[in-house]
Amino acid sequence: MKKYQQLRASVHLPFSFAVGATASRFYRALRDEKTIYGTRCDNCQRVSVPARSFCSHCCKTIDHHQTGQWIALPEYGTLIGWCETPNKDGFFTALIQLEGADNLLLHRVGQCDAVLLHKGLHLRAAWKASAAGTITDIVCFKPERRA
Amino acid sequence: MQENNSEYLFSSITMDLSWNTDVGETMAGFFQRLKAERRLYGTRCSNCLRVYLPPRPVCGNCWQQMNDWVELGEQGTIVGKTVCYYEILDSMTGKPRTTPFVLGLIQIDGADTTLNHFVETPDPDHVSIGDRVETVLRDTLQGNVGDIVHFQWLGPPTTSSQGSKK
Ligand SMILES: [Zn+2]
Ligand SMILES: [Zn+2]
């Protein structure tokens, strides 16, 4: 096959965005309380994680000031799905069912042998020592033996 | 119980994207000629004689394959322009380009089509359609799109500067 000239190109895109009132409260709780919060919809009672400003099932607004609708979820759950190809940092993108939540949390699993991964694996959040108020304050979810 | 903390957070992300593109036979011919001769070349249709810059492999009018390369002039004419006041990322550097700057559609002498490129000028508001520009190439050519730095604005046409026009 004939080989043609190649062009190399690269762009560096730095940006920053305001995450908004609801996600700010969610991230502050990760940073200050090491707690994962979900929100419960008054109408359908579904619990979404991460916390959201509205119910994605019935579109009802969830007030981020109302503590009652904010549910502290446990930091453990089960592995539902994952991407077999590891990310550059060695983690696997994964969908995790936290206990008490009605949807799946998109995060990553790791700090384990890839062959261990299977549906229903029990996982626990591994926290970063110096929290910064971002989703990566949880380094990953790590397999754990059920007590 | 109310939650009244009003500390709002920002998420900062930096993406570094790099990629390779095969430029194809026609653009490779253009870059190789540019690098070897410091000249812009276009392709000419042997049927309708239209000259394409950037070069294309097939004539848009006749659907005929083009194999003739034509040496083009160093100067050209502005046939369209816009003065930009909004900072955009310069695709050459990935950094914001200082405003105001001028983007022009430039018809190089000998070509029938136009190039979209930066027009370098001390006075963006006085750039007019019909003004003449000169190609500025970087000192050490690498055989890629970055070789054309910009087009230097020369001013309104004079009789001598239009001498090389087809
Ligand atoms: Zn609902
Ligand atoms: Zn033609």
Side-chain angles (χ1 to χ4, degrees):
Chain A
M1 206 175 87
K2 205 166 164 187
K3 189 110 170 84
Y4 293 121
Q5 180 184 356
Q6 285 203 331
L7 274 191
R8 264 167 236 281
S10 65
V11 281
H12 180 77
L13 302 170
F15 62 97
S16 181
F17 62 94
V19 298
T22 304
S24 287
R25 184 176 167 191
F26 175 79
Y27 289 137
R28 284 198 309 266
L30 288 187
R31 180 191 65 193
D32 304 334
E33 306 168 35
K34 284 197 187 325
T35 304
I36 304 166
Y37 275 92
T39 41
R40 171 175 287 137
C41 170
D42 280 341
N43 191 46
C44 70
Q45 306 301 314
R46 280 182 168 81
V47 175
S48 308
V49 64
R52 298 194 73 175
S53 58
F54 66 96
C55 173
S56 57
H57 183 72
C58 49
C59 290
K60 210 174 169 294
T61 301
I62 296 168
D63 184 354
H64 72 277
H65 290 300
Q66 288 301 320
T67 307
Q69 293 179 316
W70 281 63
I71 314 291
L73 294 167
E75 60 169 44
Y76 50 83
T78 54
L79 180 60
I80 301 297
W82 69 97
C83 177
E84 295 245 351
T85 311
N87 302 333
K88 257 192 258 172
D89 48 23
F91 294 108
F92 301 86
T93 302
L95 286 169
I96 296 145
Q97 177 71 66
L98 291 187
E99 244 176 67
D102 292 299
N103 66 344
L104 302 174
L105 176 68
L106 180 68
H107 210 281
R108 52 194 193 187
V109 292
Q111 299 184 350
C112 66
D113 197 335
V115 297
L116 280 179
L117 299 180
H118 62 269
K119 197 176 172 203
L121 181 67
H122 188 66
L123 302 168
R124 185 177 287 273
W127 297 86
K128 200 181 264 181
S130 54
T134 75
I135 194 67
T136 52
D137 285 353
I138 298 170
V139 180
C140 69
F141 283 80
K142 197 181 162 181
E144 186 191 57
R145 247 178 224 284
R146 235 179 259 267
Chain B
M1 208 172 105
Q2 289 267 309
E3 209 279 346
N4 284 317
N5 190 332
S6 58
E7 180 200 355
Y8 293 134
L9 301 181
F10 284 81
S11 184
S12 298
I13 297 169
T14 297
M15 289 198 281
D16 281 304
L17 310 172
S18 57
W19 66 91
N20 282 342
T21 329
D22 277 322
V23 297
E25 195 165 6
T26 306
M27 282 315 287
F30 173 77
F31 290 133
Q32 281 156 13
R33 285 172 173 84
L34 176 63
K35 194 177 171 187
E37 302 179 34
R38 296 189 76 85
R39 296 291 286 192
L40 299 179
Y41 274 80
T43 48
R44 182 173 53 204
C45 172
S46 60
N47 188 44
C48 71
L49 302 180
R50 193 171 156 87
V51 175
Y52 287 86
L53 177 72
R56 289 174 53 173
V58 172
C59 175
N61 290 343
C62 321
W63 287 28
Q64 176 157 324
Q65 201 136 20
M66 296 187 282
N67 298 306
D68 298 340
W69 287 89
V70 201
E71 189 180 329
L72 303 171
E74 286 171 5
Q75 296 187 358
T77 303
I78 297 176
V79 300
K81 68 128 195 180
T82 185
V83 184
C84 305
Y85 292 92
Y86 186 75
E87 228 177 45
I88 54 153
L89 288 184
D90 186 334
S91 58
M92 300 295 174
T93 61
K95 298 198 175 80
R97 194 174 178 97
T98 37
T99 54
F101 61 89
V102 181
L103 277 172
L105 279 175
I106 294 141
Q107 186 171 6
I108 292 294
D109 296 341
D112 293 301
T113 59
T114 56
L115 277 179
N116 188 347
H117 218 291
F118 297 113
V119 176
E120 187 66 22
T121 171
D123 192 359
D125 288 327
H126 282 84
V127 174
S128 298
I129 288 170
D131 284 357
R132 301 284 292 162
V133 292
E134 187 164 59
T135 311
V136 176
L137 302 176
R138 65 175 153 203
D139 293 338
T140 311
L141 298 181
Q142 293 173 15
N144 60 42
V145 279
D147 284 350
I148 301 173
V149 182
H150 55 244
F151 289 86
Q152 180 64 47
W153 180 72
L154 299 174
T158 59
T159 32
S160 59
S161 71
Q162 273 190 310
S164 57
K165 211 166 178 190
K166 204 172 80 160

